[in-house]
Amino acid sequence: MSDPATRRLILLMSVSLDGFVARRDNVIDWLEDPAARSASHGHRRHAETLGLLGQIGQIVLGRRAYEDMVRGWSGSDNPMAVLMNTLPKLVFSGTLSSIAWADSCVTQVYTP
């Protein structure tokens, strides 16, 4: 990638082994189930995520991810939240017309 206009795309997404992000009711609480993961796994996942966030220049989200993440990250001061709150965020939505998370903008998408 010698062309300075060429940028890498990094996809960071938590997906269950059966290929789903959320249950049918759109809840993703399986990520935080203490019985499903050990403390060391949580620390490793957190460290890897921080490492990736340090390499990116923008976060791209859909409406549901935005709504879930803004509740947890926008008011937090933990190291991951600091990065999440300072990076520019682009939110794709067919229903949101404005958003309040710092350094965020919404792009309207057509939803049939």
Side-chain angles (χ1 to χ4, degrees), residues 51-66:
L52 283 173
L53 286 175
Q55 299 176 43
I56 66 173
Q58 183 174 37
I59 298 171
V60 179
L61 304 161
R63 177 190 54 86
R64 286 185 185 157
Y66 165 78

Side-chain angles (χ1 to χ4, degrees), residues 49-110:
T49 302
L50 274 173
L52 283 173
L53 286 175
Q55 299 176 43
I56 66 173
Q58 183 174 37
I59 298 171
V60 179
L61 304 161
R63 177 190 54 86
R64 286 185 185 157
Y66 165 78
E67 289 173 341
D68 286 341
M69 294 176 81
V70 70
R71 284 191 296 267
W73 297 115
S74 64
S76 178
D77 62 357
N78 79 38
M80 191 177 306
V82 170
L83 282 169
M84 298 286 284
N85 292 327
T86 57
L87 285 166
K89 291 161 283 293
L90 175 61
V91 180
F92 287 91
S93 174
T95 57
L96 293 174
S97 57
S98 65
I99 51 180
W101 198 357
D103 294 318
S104 298
C105 65
V106 65
T107 297
Q108 293 295 314
V109 295
Y110 171 72

Side-chain angles (χ1 to χ4, degrees), residues 23-70:
R23 297 189 319 231
R24 288 189 185 269
D25 61 359
N26 297 316
V27 174
I28 58 170
D29 60 353
W30 60 270
L31 284 171
E32 297 302 323
D33 182 1
R37 64 177 174 85
S38 68
S40 65
H41 170 75
H43 292 300
R44 278 195 319 267
R45 191 178 79 177
H46 185 79
E48 291 293 324
T49 302
L50 274 173
L52 283 173
L53 286 175
Q55 299 176 43
I56 66 173
Q58 183 174 37
I59 298 171
V60 179
L61 304 161
R63 177 190 54 86
R64 286 185 185 157
Y66 165 78
E67 289 173 341
D68 286 341
M69 294 176 81
V70 70

Side-chain angles (χ1 to χ4, degrees), residues 11-17 19-22 28 30-31 45 49:
L11 174 64
L12 173 60
M13 185 174 185
S14 296
V15 180
S16 64
L17 289 175
F20 290 95
V21 175
I28 58 170
W30 60 270
L31 284 171
R45 191 178 79 177
T49 302

